[in-house]
Amino acid sequence: MAAEAAEYVQSFRWCAGVSESYVAFAIPPVFGVFLVRIEPLEGADPWLWILLGDIPPAYIHWEPGFTGNPASAIDGYIGAMTDWVDAVEAGESVDHLIPVNAAAEREFAAKLRTRLAFLDEHVLGPVRGDLSGPEERRP
C-alpha cells in the first residue's frame, strides 16, 4: 500500500517524487493512511496525507494543529468525500470538490457513502478523541 500511495501522489504534475513515507494507519488492503514528504513543484506543500484502499484515493494537506495526526486526516477525508456524495445525490456539480476517480453517478455515491460510514464508525470512532487538543477532549 505504501508503494501505491507513492505512485498515486507522483501521478500529479506538482510532485517530482517522494522522499519520505510513513505508515500512519493500515488495514491492508482495505484502508491505509500514509504521511509522505514529496519533492514539490509549482509551490505544492511538501507534506501530505495519502488515504487509499477500498476507497477512492485522495491526498489531504498536512497542517500541524489542524491535520497533524492520522485521525484528523481521516476526518478530513470523510468530510470531503461526504460533500462529494451529497453533491452527486443532489444532482449538483462536483467540479469544485475533492477529485474522485469515478463518474459522478448516484450508484457510485451510494457505495461510497457506505464505505464512509464504515470508516467513520469503525476506524475513526475509536480514535475520535484525537481530533481535538488534550484540553478539549470529551470523556
Side-chain angles (χ1 to χ4, degrees):
M1 291 184 82
E4 186 179 348
E7 183 179 312
Y8 168 72
V9 74
Q10 290 177 107
S11 71
F12 294 97
R13 70 179 183 279
W14 40 259
C15 177
V18 173
S19 57
E20 296 177 55
S21 179
Y22 302 94
V23 178
F25 182 85
I27 306 171
V30 178
F31 181 68
V33 180
F34 300 84
L35 181 62
V36 298
R37 183 177 185 175
I38 65 167
E39 298 168 20
L41 301 172
E42 301 178 19
D45 291 333
W47 288 97
L48 300 168
W49 292 106
I50 307 299
L51 298 93
L52 48 78
D54 191 23
I55 56 168
Y59 64 87
I60 303 286
H61 295 279
W62 179 84
E63 296 178 41
F66 182 67
T67 56
N69 64 41
S72 58
I74 296 167
D75 186 56
Y77 177 90
I78 291 170
M81 289 294 176
T82 298
D83 289 346
W84 187 91
V85 168
D86 290 345
V88 170
E89 290 176 345
E92 299 171 354
S93 171
V94 295
D95 292 344
H96 63 287
L97 300 174
I98 192 168
V100 176
N101 63 347
E105 298 174 357
R106 289 177 188 254
E107 179 182 344
F108 184 77
K111 290 178 183 178
L112 181 53
R113 186 176 296 282
T114 300
R115 286 179 173 86
L116 295 173
F118 178 87
L119 286 178
D120 189 53
E121 182 177 347
H122 298 288
V123 176
L124 186 58
V127 295
R128 194 169 306 281
D130 292 343
L131 293 174
S132 58
E135 67 283 349
E136 299 170 356
R137 286 196 181 147
R138 296 171 290 229

